[in-house]
Amino acid sequence: MDESSPATGAEHPVEVITRALQELLRVGVRPAQMVRYLDLFPDAVILAADDLSPGDTTDPYLRALNLADRITAAVRSLGEGATGLATQALFGVTPEARGQLLKHRRRIAADQLGIMTSTFRSYYEDNIVADVALVVWTANHHS
């Protein structure tokens, strides 16, 4: 049986991760800020890394660092082309975008694609976030 079932109305983990990433965009990949968003992510996504020992699993800052590593790896796995660089900017994993407000990260991402920020937000952002969610889930699902 798959992880979501129409009969039970259960949501697929990719949808949960997508929604969590959309919320996380407010702060970007900044572990100290990500602590506030940990409850949005399935525990399996946060705890799947080999570098967390059982005693570390309750420390929110270690969990946030682990989640940041997983998201950064997923974002970077999308490549160095225009869309990959836009993804990195949106999530704030490039030096230029790190620590910037979301509106500035969106502008940087839109510039990577050569489009207006409003076009990026309306037609690209949700698809990019869903792509990252799928990569995060796949890495977790196959680890």
Side-chain angles (χ1 to χ4, degrees), residues 11-127:
E11 194 172 29
H12 194 280
V14 173
E15 295 166 348
V16 174
I17 297 166
T18 298
R19 221 175 31 261
L21 288 173
Q22 287 168 334
E23 289 295 318
L24 183 70
L25 281 180
R26 293 178 181 169
V27 297
V29 180
R30 298 176 65 194
Q33 303 295 316
M34 292 170 65
V35 170
R36 299 181 308 213
Y37 297 89
L38 290 175
D39 291 342
L40 300 176
F41 289 88
D43 275 344
V45 168
I46 299 170
L47 303 177
D50 297 333
D51 59 332
L52 280 183
S53 66
D56 295 337
T57 60
T58 58
D59 185 299
Y61 290 95
L62 290 174
R63 291 167 59 95
L65 281 168
N66 192 54
L67 180 60
D69 288 346
R70 295 180 65 75
I71 293 170
T72 299
V75 165
R76 290 198 170 131
S77 77
L78 296 176
E80 295 291 325
T83 302
L85 293 173
T87 304
Q88 291 177 35
L90 180 63
F91 281 89
V93 301
T94 62
E96 178 185 15
R98 181 164 171 73
Q100 296 292 323
L101 296 174
L102 178 56
K103 67 181 179 179
H104 298 300
R105 288 184 275 124
R106 283 179 173 137
R107 180 188 44 77
I108 296 166
D111 288 348
Q112 291 291 339
L113 296 171
I115 59 176
M116 293 176 39
T117 305
S118 59
T119 302
F120 175 81
R121 188 171 184 190
S122 297
Y123 298 104
Y124 290 79
E125 186 174 309
D126 288 344
N127 291 327

